Amino acid sequence: MSVPAAFHLALHYVLRHRLQSLLLCLALGASLALPVAVRTFAKTVEAETGKRASGTPLVLGAKGSSLDLLLSALYFRRQPIAPITLKQVDLIRASGLGNAIPLLVRFHSQGSPIVGVDLAYFDFRGLGTRQGHLFTRLGDCVVGARLAKERGLKPGDSVFSSPEQVFDIAGVYPLKMRVTGVLAPTGSPDDHAVFVDLKTAWLIEGRSHGHDDLASSKSAPDVLKRDSTNIVGSAAVRMFNEVTAENLSGFHFHGDPADYPITSAIVLPRDAKSEAILSGRHQDPKGLFQLIRPSDELSMILSTLFQVEGAIILGLVFVGFAAAAIAVIVFTLSFQMRAREFATLADIGVSLKTLNLIKAFEVMLIGIGGMAIASIVVGLVIQWGPSLVLRALQ
Amino acid sequence: MKPAASECVIRSGSPSGVLITDLHFQYPGSSFGLSLRQLELGAGETLAILGPSGCGKSTLLRLIAGLLPPNAGKVSIGGSDIHLLNREGLRDFRLKQIGLVFQDFALLDYLTVSENILLPAKLGGFFSDEVTSRVQSLMDQLGIRDHEKKITRMLSQGERQRVAIARALAHEPTLVLADEPTASLDAARRDRVAAMLVGYAKERGAPLIMVTHDAALKDRFDRVVDFQELVS
C-alpha cells in the first residue's frame, strides 16, 4: 500500500471535480461556521457594548425609554427622547454629590451625529486630538478619527450640519463649522461623531443667531422700524450661517442658558454613597427624570439577546447535524455511484485498505476545505465584527 | 487459512507458466457455466482464444485472473494455485504479477493518460524511475505519447484502448491476460498492438492469453483455440 499514491488519487479526484467538491466544502463550512460565528458575534456585541457601558457610571435623562436614553447618551443615536434642561446638570453639580457632563445629541452632519458637549467630556472619555486642537470658540468642531478618514477631514476644513428635514424652510438651517482638530482613534462611537460646544449645538438649534449689525446699518431695506430702544430688522437682514472672527461678536443668545435643552447628562457620582443618594432622588415614578446605570440596562438587553442567541445556536447546531448527515449521505451516494471505479481498482489489484484510504483522504480533503471556509468566515466575523457592531449602534 | 501472495514462489520477471486443471464455474442462479479440463501454457507462450461474443471468453479470463472464484478446479500460475490465496493476497498477486487488459478498458476518467498507466505501480508501491521510463517507451510504441497529459475521457475509443494496454504492461507482469484488446483499433494499429503484446510475451517469457473474435490475428500466436472446443 502506498499512502502518498492514495492521497494523490484522492486529491486528483477532488481537484478534477471542483464544483462538486466546492459545494460540499461550502455546505460543510457553513454548517460549521454559523454556530461559531453567531457565538463570536454575540461575544463581540457584549464586549463592544460592555466597554462603553462600564465606563459610564450613570446617565440622567427625561422619563421615558431607558434604552433610547442609553443609545443616545452612549452611542449618539438620535433617538426620539424628550429633552431636559441644563439646570439639571447645574443642580447635580451644586449638590456636591458628583459632576455631570451635558450632552445634546439631536443634529447630524451627513448622517454623522453632532454631539454638543463641554470640554469635561473629553477628559472623562480620555479623548485627545491626533491633529489640531479642541474647539475654542462658537462654531468650531472636532471630528472623530474614522469620520475624518472617511471624509478626508483635517484641521482647517469645514463641515455642515444637515437640516432636520428639507421641507421645513423655517427650521434649523445648516451651519458651516470649522474643524479645529481630529481626535485620536478609540474604537468607540466617538470615532464617528462631530463634537461641538453646547453653545454651537444650541446655535444650530436656533437658540442663538448672528446677523448684520442693524445699529450701524445705514441701509434702509434692512430696518423696518427704529426707535431709541429697539430696532426691528426686515427679511433683507443677512443671517450668518458661519461663525468667523469678524462676525463672532454678532452672535447672541436669547433667554437663560439654564433653561436650554440637553438630551442627557453623564453623571459621575463622587462615591458609592453619592451614587445611592442620586439614584434615590430620581426613583420617583411620578418624576420627570430618570437616572440609569448603563451597565445594568445593557445587561438586561444582553440577557434577552443571549436567550435569543441560545435558541439560534441550538437551531444552527441542528442545522449543522443535518448538514453533516447530508454530507455523509452525499459521500455514501458518491461512493456508491463510483462503485464501478472502485471495482476497477480492485480488479487491477488495489487492496481494500488502499481503497478505504483513498475514500478517507477524499473525506478528509473535503473536511479540510470545509474547515478552511469556516475559519475564513469566523476570521471575518472577528475582524469586522466590532466595527459592524459599532456601525449598527450608530 | 489461505496464504498471502508474498508466500507464493513467483518472482517478477522470472519465467512462469500457467496450468489450469478441471476448472468448473457456474454463475449462481444461472444456467450458464463452463468447464475446462486442462490448459497449459509455458513461459513466453502465446494463446489466442477465438469465439463469438457472449460465449464466455471474458468469464474464462476473469477466472484465470482470480476475479471470479471457480466452483472447482485449479488455476496455477508459476506453480501456485491462485485461488488458494486470500482476497487481499490475490489482489496483491494480480497487482504485481498479472497484466490485465479489460474489454471496457477500465480507466479512471478523471486521470490523465500517464496517471492511469502509472496507477498500479504507484498504488502498489513499486513506482520507480525505471517504471517511468518504461511507461514513456510504451506510450511511444502505442502512439499515445502526445496525449500523455490529456484526461482519458477526452480520448477516442482506440486511444483509450491503447492506454489500457500500456497500463497492463507498465509493471512488467509475468502473465498477460487481454480481453479483446484490438476491438477498437483499425487494421494497422490492430496488427501493431498484437505484435507488441506477443513481442512482450516472448521477450519477458510471460505467457499471453488473448481473447478475440478477430480471426485475422491467429497467425501471430503460438496456439489458437476455439473457445467452444476448449470448454464444455
Side-chain angles (χ1 to χ4, degrees), chain A residues 52-68:
Chain A
R52 190 79 166 170
S54 60
T56 312
L58 296 167
V59 172
L60 177 70
K63 203 76 150 183
S65 163
S66 56
L67 176 62
D68 282 347

mmCIF file of all heavy atoms in Angstrom, chain A residues 52-68:
data_model
loop_
_atom_site.group_PDB
_atom_site.id
_atom_site.type_symbol
_atom_site.label_atom_id
_atom_site.label_comp_id
_atom_site.label_asym_id
_atom_site.label_seq_id
_atom_site.Cartn_x
_atom_site.Cartn_y
_atom_site.Cartn_z
ATOM 1 N N ARG A 52 -18.218 50.382 26.650
ATOM 2 C CA ARG A 52 -18.759 51.736 26.723
ATOM 3 C C ARG A 52 -19.634 51.900 27.976
ATOM 4 O O ARG A 52 -19.550 52.915 28.673
ATOM 5 C CB ARG A 52 -19.588 51.964 25.461
ATOM 6 C CG ARG A 52 -20.049 53.372 25.235
ATOM 7 C CD ARG A 52 -18.947 54.216 24.682
ATOM 8 N NE ARG A 52 -19.435 55.482 24.157
ATOM 9 C CZ ARG A 52 -18.657 56.460 23.787
ATOM 10 N NH1 ARG A 52 -17.342 56.338 23.879
ATOM 11 N NH2 ARG A 52 -19.161 57.581 23.317
ATOM 12 N N ALA A 53 -20.456 50.868 28.216
ATOM 13 C CA ALA A 53 -21.401 50.979 29.337
ATOM 14 C C ALA A 53 -20.673 50.970 30.671
ATOM 15 O O ALA A 53 -21.000 51.756 31.573
ATOM 16 C CB ALA A 53 -22.404 49.828 29.269
ATOM 17 N N SER A 54 -19.683 50.084 30.795
ATOM 18 C CA SER A 54 -18.997 50.002 32.087
ATOM 19 C C SER A 54 -18.182 51.258 32.369
ATOM 20 O O SER A 54 -17.862 51.549 33.516
ATOM 21 C CB SER A 54 -18.106 48.761 32.136
ATOM 22 O OG SER A 54 -17.145 48.851 31.107
ATOM 23 N N GLY A 55 -17.861 52.008 31.315
ATOM 24 C CA GLY A 55 -17.100 53.247 31.508
ATOM 25 C C GLY A 55 -17.989 54.458 31.748
ATOM 26 O O GLY A 55 -17.500 55.586 31.784
ATOM 27 N N THR A 56 -19.284 54.245 31.855
ATOM 28 C CA THR A 56 -20.221 55.358 32.066
ATOM 29 C C THR A 56 -21.062 55.063 33.306
ATOM 30 O O THR A 56 -21.972 54.226 33.249
ATOM 31 C CB THR A 56 -21.155 55.505 30.834
ATOM 32 O OG1 THR A 56 -20.361 55.494 29.659
ATOM 33 C CG2 THR A 56 -21.955 56.793 30.905
ATOM 34 N N PRO A 57 -20.750 55.707 34.428
ATOM 35 C CA PRO A 57 -21.415 55.321 35.687
ATOM 36 C C PRO A 57 -22.939 55.488 35.651
ATOM 37 O O PRO A 57 -23.669 54.537 35.880
ATOM 38 C CB PRO A 57 -20.797 56.267 36.720
ATOM 39 C CG PRO A 57 -19.553 56.786 36.095
ATOM 40 C CD PRO A 57 -19.755 56.770 34.622
ATOM 41 N N LEU A 58 -23.407 56.730 35.380
ATOM 42 C CA LEU A 58 -24.848 56.997 35.401
ATOM 43 C C LEU A 58 -25.203 57.945 34.258
ATOM 44 O O LEU A 58 -24.369 58.741 33.829
ATOM 45 C CB LEU A 58 -25.255 57.645 36.731
ATOM 46 C CG LEU A 58 -25.071 56.827 38.023
ATOM 47 C CD1 LEU A 58 -25.234 57.745 39.234
ATOM 48 C CD2 LEU A 58 -26.062 55.677 38.085
ATOM 49 N N VAL A 59 -26.434 57.832 33.802
ATOM 50 C CA VAL A 59 -26.904 58.757 32.767
ATOM 51 C C VAL A 59 -28.249 59.328 33.212
ATOM 52 O O VAL A 59 -29.151 58.582 33.601
ATOM 53 C CB VAL A 59 -27.050 58.046 31.400
ATOM 54 C CG1 VAL A 59 -27.727 58.970 30.384
ATOM 55 C CG2 VAL A 59 -25.683 57.610 30.866
ATOM 56 N N LEU A 60 -28.333 60.655 33.144
ATOM 57 C CA LEU A 60 -29.578 61.329 33.503
ATOM 58 C C LEU A 60 -30.307 61.757 32.238
ATOM 59 O O LEU A 60 -29.688 62.246 31.292
ATOM 60 C CB LEU A 60 -29.248 62.575 34.351
ATOM 61 C CG LEU A 60 -30.437 63.454 34.756
ATOM 62 C CD1 LEU A 60 -31.310 62.755 35.788
ATOM 63 C CD2 LEU A 60 -29.959 64.798 35.292
ATOM 64 N N GLY A 61 -31.610 61.563 32.250
ATOM 65 C CA GLY A 61 -32.393 61.986 31.092
ATOM 66 C C GLY A 61 -33.846 62.121 31.478
ATOM 67 O O GLY A 61 -34.227 61.913 32.625
ATOM 68 N N ALA A 62 -34.655 62.459 30.468
ATOM 69 C CA ALA A 62 -36.096 62.602 30.735
ATOM 70 C C ALA A 62 -36.719 61.235 30.902
ATOM 71 O O ALA A 62 -36.210 60.237 30.382
ATOM 72 C CB ALA A 62 -36.753 63.343 29.570
ATOM 73 N N LYS A 63 -37.796 61.193 31.658
ATOM 74 C CA LYS A 63 -38.530 59.944 31.853
ATOM 75 C C LYS A 63 -38.949 59.398 30.490
ATOM 76 O O LYS A 63 -39.330 60.161 29.599
ATOM 77 C CB LYS A 63 -39.775 60.238 32.691
ATOM 78 C CG LYS A 63 -40.315 59.046 33.408
ATOM 79 C CD LYS A 63 -39.470 58.732 34.582
ATOM 80 C CE LYS A 63 -40.252 58.091 35.698
ATOM 81 N NZ LYS A 63 -39.371 57.883 36.849
ATOM 82 N N GLY A 64 -38.857 58.120 30.334
ATOM 83 C CA GLY A 64 -39.222 57.510 29.051
ATOM 84 C C GLY A 64 -38.444 56.223 28.869
ATOM 85 O O GLY A 64 -38.099 55.561 29.840
ATOM 86 N N SER A 65 -38.178 55.911 27.647
ATOM 87 C CA SER A 65 -37.457 54.665 27.359
ATOM 88 C C SER A 65 -36.006 54.753 27.830
ATOM 89 O O SER A 65 -35.247 55.622 27.383
ATOM 90 C CB SER A 65 -37.498 54.374 25.857
ATOM 91 O OG SER A 65 -36.509 53.418 25.545
ATOM 92 N N SER A 66 -35.645 53.839 28.734
ATOM 93 C CA SER A 66 -34.257 53.835 29.204
ATOM 94 C C SER A 66 -33.307 53.380 28.091
ATOM 95 O O SER A 66 -32.156 53.807 28.014
ATOM 96 C CB SER A 66 -34.117 52.917 30.422
ATOM 97 O OG SER A 66 -34.568 51.612 30.112
ATOM 98 N N LEU A 67 -33.817 52.540 27.197
ATOM 99 C CA LEU A 67 -32.987 52.066 26.081
ATOM 100 C C LEU A 67 -32.666 53.220 25.134
ATOM 101 O O LEU A 67 -31.507 53.390 24.710
ATOM 102 C CB LEU A 67 -33.712 50.940 25.319
ATOM 103 C CG LEU A 67 -33.005 50.429 24.068
ATOM 104 C CD1 LEU A 67 -31.649 49.827 24.394
ATOM 105 C CD2 LEU A 67 -33.863 49.398 23.337
ATOM 106 N N ASP A 68 -33.682 54.036 24.850
ATOM 107 C CA ASP A 68 -33.457 55.192 23.976
ATOM 108 C C ASP A 68 -32.434 56.139 24.600
ATOM 109 O O ASP A 68 -31.563 56.677 23.913
ATOM 110 C CB ASP A 68 -34.771 55.944 23.730
ATOM 111 C CG ASP A 68 -35.651 55.237 22.704
ATOM 112 O OD1 ASP A 68 -35.118 54.329 22.020
ATOM 113 O OD2 ASP A 68 -36.838 55.575 22.594
#
